[in-house]
Structures are given as structure tokens and as C-alpha cells.
Amino acid sequence: MSGTPVIGVLALQGDVREHVAALAAAGAQAVPVRRTQELDAVDALVIPGGESTTMSRLADVFELREPIDKRIAGGMPVYGSCAGMIMLATEVLDGRPDQRGFDGISMTVRRNAFGRQVDSFEAPVAINGIAGEPFHAVFIRAPWVERVGEGVEVLGQVTDGPSAGRIVAVRQGNLLATSFHPELTGDVRLHRYFVDLVRAAA
Ligand SMILES: NC(=O)CC[C@H](N)C(=O)O
């Protein structure tokens, strides 16, 4: 890709603005996506943090489910944070019975997994492939990954405390997901990593 990649942020619900700002700071042109025509115009998509049950319902209301699944099947890069990670999981534990994600990463996630201990917390998390200090990872009623399928690369795990060893960042081909919210901390390395992925995929 020669020009600036155009990256959509799924704008059904959640912290859309924060992702738009982080993507812009990481060198992309970021646009909210709520309609299929807007989806057609982007090179890649970010699914923000928020509430996956609501996002699942709105994906149907806005008739975006099938178009997004089609783009994913066609190789469109997608990055999901927190609720976005849940929306990218092929299997969800502790979900609402009617909630459904996209045809995304071959993994099982547990919703509100850390929430049994505390609602939100922060921890250092090192990400494979991203140089420098570990991320100051912010978890808010976050999921963790309980199982990954073939072809899924584990990029980050919690290192200390009662949740040590829990998987919180994964990648499968052009699909990327984190349990935490880099869009909230002003550290744009993960968004830059995604922008690089989008350029490489083009
Ligand atoms: N911060 C978040 O995105 C929380 C995710 C939320 N608990 C869900 O299940 O969708």
C-alpha cells in the first residue's frame, strides 16, 4: 500500500472516539463505520471496547454481520480490544445465549473473566513483536482467552498476580485481539503494529 491506510472503527457502541484518535496518531486515516457502504470503503476494521452483547445485537440491526464476515473471509485485517476481542472469538463462555461474534479468531474467550476477582485492574503486559517496555495494560471487565486453535499465535500473557499466565493478546493471520485497552493509555504502539499489519496485507 503506497498511501495512508483507511481504517474503520465499528461505531455501533463502545469507545469509538479513543480508537479513532489512536489510529490517527499511528498514521492511519480513521473513520467510523456504521453502514455497509462505509465498510466497503475501508482497508481494515477496529472493533472497540464496550459491551459485546449490545454490539452483537446492533450488528444485526445495522445488517453488518454478513458483510463483516465476508470481508474477514476475504482477508480484511481486524483488531478487537476487550468487547472487540469477544466479537472476534469463535466461542464465548459466560456470554448471553443470543450473543454472536463474527467468523474471527479460532479461540475460546471467557467474558468478564477477571471480574470475578476485581472489576478492573492494570498490569504490565509484554507483547511479542512490539519492542520496548511492556504495555501498561488496562483491563475493564475484560475477557481472557482460555483456548486457542491451530494457527493462533499467543502475543501476550499476564505475568504476575492471581491471573498470571492468562492469555490476553492473540493474532491469527490478519486478525488481532487484546483483552486490554491500549486506546485508553496514549500508548499507540499496538495501533502502529496494526497499521503495519494493514500495510503488509494490502
Ligand atoms: N471493556 C469492555 O470492553 C468490557 C467487555 C464486556 N464485559 C463485554 O462482555 O462485552
Side-chain angles (χ1 to χ4, degrees), residues 79-92:
Y79 165 45
S81 70
C82 203
M85 171 187 257
I86 298 169
M87 290 299 292
L88 278 178
T90 50
E91 190 183 15
V92 178

Side-chain angles (χ1 to χ4, degrees), residues 60-101:
D60 289 323
V61 171
F62 284 77
E63 297 180 347
L64 277 170
R65 186 178 298 281
E66 210 187 286
I68 289 176
D69 280 342
K70 272 204 188 122
R71 287 294 306 270
I72 290 175
M76 174 178 72
V78 185
Y79 165 45
S81 70
C82 203
M85 171 187 257
I86 298 169
M87 290 299 292
L88 278 178
T90 50
E91 190 183 15
V92 178
L93 305 177
D94 293 341
R96 291 239 196 100
D98 61 337
Q99 98 175 77
R100 214 149 59 79

Side-chain angles (χ1 to χ4, degrees), residues 48-53 81-84 86 99 111-112 140-143 181:
E51 178 47 57
S52 57
T53 55
S81 70
C82 203
I86 298 169
Q99 98 175 77
R111 274 182 78 224
N112 303 335
I140 305 166
R141 284 185 260 287
H181 295 269

